[in-house]
Amino acid sequence: MLLSKLAAALTWAGMAYQAVGMTIAGRPNQLIHPYKRGEPLQDIVTWDKRSLFVRGERIMFFSGLTVTLGEFHPFRLPVPSLWLDVFQKIKSAGFNGVSFYVDWALLEGKPGEFRADGVFAFEPFFEAAKEAGIYLLARPGPYINAEASGGGFPGWLARNKAIARTREFIPLTETYMKNIGEIIAKAQITNGGPVILFQPENEYSGAVDSISFPDLNYFQEVMDGFHEAGIVVPMMSNDAFTGGHDNGTGIGSVDIYGHDGYPLGFDCANPDVWPAGNLPTYYLSAHLEIAPNTPYAIPEFQGGSFDPWAGNGWAKCETLLSPAFQRVFYKNNYAAEVTIFNLYMTYGGTNWGNLGHPGGYTSYDYAAVLAEDRTIAREKYSEIKLQANFFRVSSAYLEAVPSETANGTYATTTAIATTRLTSNTTDFYVVRHSVYNTYGSTSYKLQVPTSQGNITIPQLNGTLSLNGRDSKIHVTDYSVGGINMLYSSAEIFTWKKYDDKTVLVLYGGPTETHEVAFSDQKTPSIVEGDGVGSFSKNGTVVLNWQVTQERKIVKFPSGLYVYLLDRYDAYNYWVIDLPAAAPQENFHSFDSKSVIARAGYLLRTASVDDNTLALTGDVNATTTLEVIGGSPLNAQVTFNGESLQTTTDKNGAVTAQIAFSEPQVNLPKLSSLSWKYIDGLPEIRPGYSDAAWPDADVTASNNTVQPQTTYVSLYGADYGFNTGILLARGHFIANGNESELQITTQGGTAYSASVYLNDSVIETYPGNGNNNNYTHNITLPRLKSGANYVATVVIDHMGLDEDWVVGTDGHKNPRGILAYDLVGRNQSAITWKITGNFGGEDYEDKVRGPLNEGGTYAERQGYHLPSAPTSNWTSASPFEGINSPGMGFFSTSFDLDMPKGYDIPLSFVFANTTGADYRAQLYVNGWQFGKYVNNIGPQLTFPVPEGILNYHGNNYVALSLWAFDKGGNKLSGLELVADAKIATGFGAVQMTPQSDWEQRVGAY
């Protein structure tokens, strides 16, 4: 994604700043020309200039059936049995697709050794998508950005002089591309799988001046590599902006051009600020100029925001990217007729096990539609559900042609901007404020042509109104199961035609006046609620009402039931497809049979067997279930397998109560548990031997970004140490004249470092939210001539920089010691040892992958793993801490016996200690699920999913405490808390594969 994109990338290579700007601001039109696509490699997924087709049916990929996509990275939720949970929640929100990245660094931790098993296997992900009925857009890079360490590049690439994302780089990707390509190819729709689109590379949109850019031969080689691996579905691009890259008919051209958009940026510090000019009203004209013959695709549009170290936290980001943002900005995209639309992110997840880049912390919540703990309590989930479901029933949109946005042409005031989209039958009118960021409310009438002539809406009472920071979609001549809705100012949530009736659900904002008209209908009756005015003229019936919290239902003699809802009541309604025969199965189609129901927190699935309607879902309170469409006559209704006592009202709605009993949850008080302790930094103790450590003996680093200034390289990657905490030990014999030691360390943004001389700390750097390196100017105590000394340097590796701008090679920015000077001595007076995670790229723990553990003593021994030999350790608690600068390693265990049938997300919550400089790493059953930095923040709460936590057995928790303050540090608080209590029909969650501690041969 477009992260701090340019700013971050250019910080890596300041000398390239102007060059990059010139390249990106160059003449992309040289790459753009009209073209005619060749024949696709298969005939199941096809396209024209309006939309995709799947088996001949137009779809909107709304990662939704406009294609609506939601971004979800399986590697950020290492519990495969929960992937279906996320898919079902995305599907229930009205989406029909998901886009996913693949993180190369997790799969090829050692050059030439590709592993995709256990939590890194893709087959369960594909199976879960298919079961949920979710199409997939595969995005395996090789470069992905994604706020992942190195942008998905493995650390060993730093040892190769090839410039990433150029032709000389391609040979390094071959193992990865062949293997991941073959895995994805097997899951294509042509093989019965859910993958219908494929994106090679990622935001290939800018380079430094020294790079020939765009190199279409490079891009073609990437595509060729995946084609050779068996990819046959359409390939699309995601230009970082409307630049026209990777588009055309010749070498390096994708099938479908797309661009990304993050119009509000990532300024969560000012969550109410929508800058003037930031609404991208130029999208339509750009699309028509760049790619008029393919569907309009936005492979990434802002679904939330990343948040950096020392940031403002997800609550402010959620305010910035609010439901109001969704209504105004997403509907602006619909006005441009986007039909492939992906929200980045829809579920963010967790940067567990060091997989994140240094610009972000452990949580990757992203203020997305689904929270990190998988809950759907955010209003933005409900808002996108309203929008996505509209497109699931509005096939005319996929053939509609947008016109230019006009102020005042269709509205009776120039304060309202309107975009008209016209199809052969239906017209769509997207309205917003001309000044898009105004808080003011505007009254207006709509003057539009219809099949019955020009009409001013409303015809009866009052005026329409548009509240500040809002947008609506009005329609004319819209078919509701063969009934012509002449117009509606209220927005459409859904409709469905059943054998005995047709159900239409409309909604509006609180207190708004709305009007709807139907052609060729007889006088209706108001069967629920009041305040609905109506009149009939020449067979057209007009309804006019003011939105209230009270629901209104209007019944027409034709069997049409119109539900008139307040937006906040509409949030409680669900549209769930019934399974169909192969090959459609659970995938949505405009012909899908569906259940419409009011059901509270979540409906997951619906099926009809004989006369039984079986529903599954989740509730967090006693809930009234009301099925207003799709239930067989006199049906037995079950919810999560339990029969419900139902009543059927005069309108055919089936009602039942779903009881909720709040579970008793007993969680351990962590501060009262028995904790064990060992020294986390024995390397500074007298008598410690580092004889088994690797020698720092690389005399000429291949790193092309940071020239080596030391007589041997002290870059972690040169020795295969690409993740987690690094340690270096420099041995020298003093001559008695040494007075100063200067060391420059680099670990990435928010890193920390400590320097010890023998067993004494001589410098601590606790870090801040800005610096990625630091020079330690250390005045030495008087050293004894002829005595042996050891300088131990501990560096927190915060992940590798991303590589968005081609030619910066940001992922090669080294982690380790950049320079040092023992004043008055030659560098070679010091001989060095260096270590990181045990085994480096021959990493020991294949279950948790190549990034999960770093180089501290406890990690190298595997003491963060369950069954570690703690019985002889000292009894001590992190709440007592350590009394001097250094590192302590603490462990404890506890049993959980969580109530079955409930989803109860749990989090570890730290208490911040004002003014204290320390950081901690949290391990849960061997999985690193938290890097807490007390003096930087902002993260205090660390969700850990079921499957990592054993909800029905023993759990081992380990914590490293790195203290920087003179008197040491301790935790002021750490609790295990329940984030929610939800009765669920999802089923049992399986434990993620685990491995216990075993003595590591050769561990030092």
Side-chain angles (χ1 to χ4, degrees):
M1 57 83 46
L2 187 63
L3 155 95
S4 29
K5 245 83 210 213
L6 219 42
L10 298 180
T11 298
W12 301 333
M15 74 286 189
Y17 203 110
Q18 185 176 3
V20 173
M22 291 174 62
T23 303
I24 293 176
R27 296 187 295 163
N29 286 339
Q30 292 178 343
L31 302 173
I32 301 165
H33 51 87
Y35 50 85
K36 180 179 180 180
R37 297 292 178 188
E39 291 299 314
L41 300 176
Q42 41 72 48
D43 60 3
I44 298 177
V45 183
T46 56
W47 66 92
D48 65 9
K49 65 181 180 180
R50 296 281 173 231
S51 73
L52 290 175
F53 295 80
V54 174
R55 297 189 177 92
E57 181 184 37
R58 285 194 185 275
I59 70 167
M60 177 174 173
F61 199 53
F62 201 136
S63 236
L65 195 56
T66 316
V67 189
T68 304
L69 297 162
E71 189 82 14
F72 164 33
H73 303 155
F75 59 84
R76 283 185 160 120
L77 179 60
V79 184
S81 68
L82 284 175
W83 294 340
L84 178 61
D85 174 64
V86 175
F87 279 134
Q88 286 183 340
K89 288 169 178 172
I90 290 174
K91 177 71 178 293
S92 291
F95 291 66
N96 66 349
V98 156
S99 165
F100 71 97
Y101 275 138
V102 179
D103 191 335
W104 178 12
L106 294 172
L107 305 178
E108 194 180 355
K110 182 178 181 180
E113 293 188 6
F114 181 92
R115 299 182 62 95
D117 53 6
V119 300
F120 307 111
F122 290 88
E123 290 79 9
F125 185 72
F126 298 142
E127 290 165 6
K130 186 173 181 179
E131 180 177 344
I134 290 287
Y135 292 123
L136 295 177
L137 162 59
R139 305 204 296 163
Y143 182 71
I144 61 169
N145 215 69
E147 286 79 66
S149 179
F153 282 166
W156 50 262
L157 291 173
R159 297 196 299 274
N160 193 288
K161 292 185 177 182
I163 298 173
R165 309 175 74 185
T166 66
R167 274 176 285 172
E168 66 177 355
F169 177 72
I170 291 289
L172 299 173
T173 71
E174 288 177 351
T175 296
Y176 170 70
M177 286 207 298
K178 178 182 184 296
N179 282 277
I180 195 61
E182 290 175 351
I183 289 171
I184 294 171
K186 292 176 183 177
Q188 293 174 112
I189 194 170
T190 52
N191 293 320
V195 176
I196 65 169
L197 287 172
F198 188 95
Q199 179 193 297
E201 247 283 351
N202 186 75
E203 292 183 334
Y204 185 69
S205 304
V208 299
D209 251 358
S210 59
I211 298 295
S212 175
F213 185 86
D215 184 346
L216 301 181
N217 288 298
Y218 159 73
F219 207 90
Q220 185 65 50
E221 287 189 37
V222 174
M223 291 194 294
D224 288 346
F226 285 122
H227 279 139
E228 289 168 8
I231 300 300
V232 296
V233 294
M235 286 193 174
M236 65 182 300
S237 63
N238 73 323
D239 215 349
F241 47 91
T242 53
H245 303 105
D246 322 315
N247 178 60
T249 57
I251 292 174
S253 298
V254 293
D255 297 310
I256 298 171
Y257 172 82
H259 70 83
D260 297 346
Y262 293 84
L264 282 191
F266 311 100
D267 187 15
C268 299
N270 298 288
D272 298 317
V273 176
W274 290 11
N278 279 39
L279 184 70
T281 56
Y282 59 89
Y283 275 0
L284 174 60
S285 60
H287 166 64
L288 293 176
E289 180 183 3
I290 295 169
N293 296 317
T294 59
Y296 182 29
I298 306 180
E300 290 183 27
F301 195 80
Q302 188 155 24
S305 174
F306 73 88
D307 193 44
W309 288 104
N312 294 277
W314 300 121
K316 284 194 171 183
C317 295
E318 188 182 346
T319 300
L320 177 69
L321 292 317
S322 64
F325 168 84
Q326 293 173 303
R327 287 192 285 271
V328 173
F329 284 82
Y330 296 174
K331 290 176 184 178
N332 178 70
N333 295 338
Y334 309 149
E337 202 197 7
V338 63
T339 59
I340 299 175
F341 186 46
N342 178 35
L343 299 180
Y344 191 103
M345 298 291 298
T346 298
Y347 172 72
T350 304
N351 287 324
W352 64 275
N354 303 304
L355 70 81
H357 78 136
Y361 41 91
T362 303
S363 174
Y364 198 65
D365 179 277
Y366 214 80
V369 165
L370 276 71
E372 182 181 4
D373 61 8
R374 297 172 293 102
T375 55
I376 56 171
R378 289 174 175 164
E379 184 185 341
K380 59 194 299 182
Y381 177 90
S382 297
E383 173 59 37
I384 199 60
K385 180 175 67 169
L386 297 183
Q387 296 183 28
N389 274 284
F390 167 66
F391 290 109
R392 286 164 66 105
V393 296
S394 300
S395 58
Y397 171 83
L398 297 177
E399 297 182 352
V401 179
S403 59
E404 290 189 9
T405 300
N407 298 339
T409 300
Y410 300 104
T412 54
T413 171
T414 57
I416 297 292
T418 308
T419 306
R420 179 186 180 188
L421 295 92
T422 305
S423 73
N424 290 333
T425 55
T426 303
D427 285 0
F428 302 85
Y429 295 86
V430 182
V431 300
R432 60 169 173 81
H433 291 279
S434 301
V435 179
Y436 88 101
N437 56 2
T438 182
Y439 282 107
S441 180
T442 300
S443 297
Y444 66 102
K445 292 191 174 186
L446 196 66
Q447 299 173 323
V448 293
T450 72
S451 59
Q452 295 187 12
N454 294 331
I455 295 177
T456 298
I457 306 168
Q459 297 187 75
L460 293 179
N461 300 323
T463 60
L464 306 180
S465 60
L466 187 66
N467 292 320
R469 298 192 172 185
D470 199 1
S471 178
K472 301 181 187 300
I473 302 177
H474 305 312
V475 300
T476 61
D477 290 299
Y478 182 100
S479 178
V480 180
I483 296 172
N484 185 52
M485 184 162 61
L486 184 64
Y487 64 81
S488 177
S489 68
E491 295 193 89
I492 301 166
F493 170 52
T494 192
W495 65 266
K496 208 70 188 174
K497 184 176 183 179
Y498 300 103
D499 291 340
D500 59 338
K501 63 181 177 180
T502 298
V503 175
L504 169 66
V505 182
L506 304 176
Y507 67 94
T511 73
E512 292 174 351
T513 294
H514 282 291
E515 194 169 273
V516 61
F518 298 92
S519 303
D520 302 320
Q521 293 294 304
K522 296 180 180 180
T523 302
S525 56
I526 314 302
V527 297
E528 184 177 316
D530 54 26
V532 180
S534 69
F535 81 90
S536 299
K537 182 179 180 181
N538 299 326
T540 295
V541 176
V542 177
L543 306 176
N544 181 288
W545 72 99
Q546 184 179 46
V547 175
T548 65
Q549 292 182 3
E550 179 189 50
R551 180 177 73 176
K552 311 171 199 312
I553 305 175
V554 181
K555 178 184 177 182
F556 286 83
S558 63
L560 172 65
Y561 286 80
V562 183
Y563 286 71
L564 307 175
L565 307 179
D566 173 275
R567 178 193 296 133
Y568 298 105
D569 188 25
Y571 286 167
N572 295 309
Y573 285 71
W574 302 87
V575 185
I576 306 297
D577 289 344
L578 300 175
Q584 180 183 328
E585 299 176 312
N586 291 324
F587 295 99
H588 180 74
S589 162
F590 285 116
D591 295 327
S592 292
K593 296 181 178 180
S594 306
V595 171
I596 306 174
R598 190 180 192 278
Y601 185 78
L602 173 65
L603 274 188
R604 292 178 181 269
T605 67
S607 62
V608 173
D609 184 11
D610 292 330
N611 206 43
T612 297
L613 171 62
L615 303 173
T616 67
D618 298 6
V619 295
N620 57 2
T622 295
T623 299
T624 298
L625 168 70
E626 182 186 16
V627 181
I628 65 173
S631 177
L633 185 65
N634 300 318
Q636 170 66 51
V637 179
T638 66
F639 185 76
N640 296 340
E642 298 291 329
S643 294
L644 300 178
Q645 186 69 40
T646 63
T647 59
T648 302
D649 68 12
K650 60 183 179 181
N651 304 314
V654 178
T655 303
Q657 287 292 110
I658 301 173
F660 173 78
S661 298
E662 182 161 336
Q664 182 68 37
V665 178
N666 297 310
L667 298 177
K669 184 177 181 181
L670 300 183
S671 60
S672 298
L673 296 177
S674 174
W675 289 80
K676 292 289 190 173
Y677 161 84
I678 58 168
D679 186 355
L681 198 59
E683 292 88 351
I684 65 172
R685 304 306 173 202
Y688 178 83
S689 173
D690 58 22
W693 285 33
D695 294 322
D697 56 6
V698 174
T699 57
S701 175
N702 280 341
N703 192 293
T704 56
V705 171
Q706 183 72 47
Q708 180 181 329
T709 65
T710 53
Y711 83 101
V712 290
S713 172
L714 296 173
Y715 301 162
D718 281 336
Y719 303 92
F721 302 124
N722 303 314
T723 184
I725 291 174
L726 302 172
L727 292 92
R729 283 170 56 85
H731 297 255
F732 66 97
I733 300 173
N735 64 14
N737 295 321
E738 300 88 353
S739 60
E740 186 177 358
L741 176 62
Q742 297 175 346
I743 300 182
T744 300
T745 56
Q746 181 164 277
T749 306
Y751 91 109
S752 61
S754 295
V755 183
Y756 300 83
L757 187 63
N758 292 349
D759 60 353
S760 298
V761 63
I762 54 175
E763 172 83 355
T764 62
Y765 172 68
N768 57 48
N770 299 311
N771 293 348
N772 66 359
N773 60 56
Y774 181 78
T775 297
H776 312 255
N777 294 301
I778 305 165
T779 300
L780 297 174
R782 182 65 178 264
L783 303 186
K784 183 178 179 181
S785 179
N788 292 309
Y789 289 88
V790 182
T792 301
V793 184
V794 187
I795 302 166
D796 202 355
H797 186 322
M798 306 299 284
L800 299 173
D801 295 326
E802 294 172 300
D803 199 38
W804 185 75
V805 176
V806 179
T808 60
D809 269 0
H811 66 288
K812 295 181 181 179
N813 279 331
R815 302 296 183 244
I817 296 174
L818 304 186
Y820 71 90
D821 182 16
L822 182 58
V823 176
R825 302 289 298 275
N826 292 329
Q827 280 194 345
S828 59
I830 303 180
T831 58
W832 290 93
K833 296 275 193 169
I834 190 169
T835 194
N837 63 299
F838 181 64
E841 290 160 12
D842 288 308
Y843 55 98
E844 187 80 9
D845 188 351
K846 300 300 190 292
V847 170
R848 299 169 183 86
L851 301 182
N852 186 62
E853 60 189 63
T856 64
Y857 172 76
E859 291 173 299
R860 301 195 308 268
Q861 300 296 325
Y863 293 160
H864 58 291
L865 300 174
S867 302
T870 64
S871 59
N872 293 325
W873 295 6
T874 302
S875 294
S877 160
F879 305 98
E880 301 165 347
I882 56 178
N883 58 15
S884 63
M887 191 175 296
F889 188 82
F890 302 86
S891 71
T892 191
S893 62
F894 55 82
D895 291 331
L896 290 176
D897 185 17
M898 303 291 282
K900 295 182 179 180
Y902 290 86
D903 182 8
I904 305 175
L906 299 180
S907 293
F908 289 82
V909 181
F910 287 83
N912 183 259
T913 307
T914 303
D917 292 337
Y918 68 87
R919 58 185 57 199
Q921 288 190 139
L922 174 69
Y923 283 93
V924 179
N925 292 323
W927 302 79
Q928 197 257 72
F929 251 81
K931 186 184 281 284
Y932 172 67
V933 184
N934 184 79
N935 55 299
I936 297 178
Q939 188 173 2
L940 298 173
T941 299
F942 294 80
V944 179
E946 182 178 5
I948 297 297
L949 273 166
N950 186 347
Y951 273 34
H952 306 286
N954 187 256
N955 294 274
Y956 176 76
V957 172
L959 184 140
S960 63
L961 177 65
W962 186 354
F964 300 96
D965 290 335
K966 184 177 180 180
N969 297 104
K970 63 181 179 180
L971 297 187
S972 57
L974 178 63
E975 296 180 303
L976 182 63
V977 302
D979 300 327
K981 299 175 183 178
I982 303 163
T984 182
F986 177 67
V989 176
Q990 303 301 313
M991 282 294 292
T992 288
Q994 304 285 346
S995 60
D996 289 350
W997 178 84
E998 294 180 353
Q999 182 73 48
R1000 292 182 170 182
V1001 177
Y1004 47 82

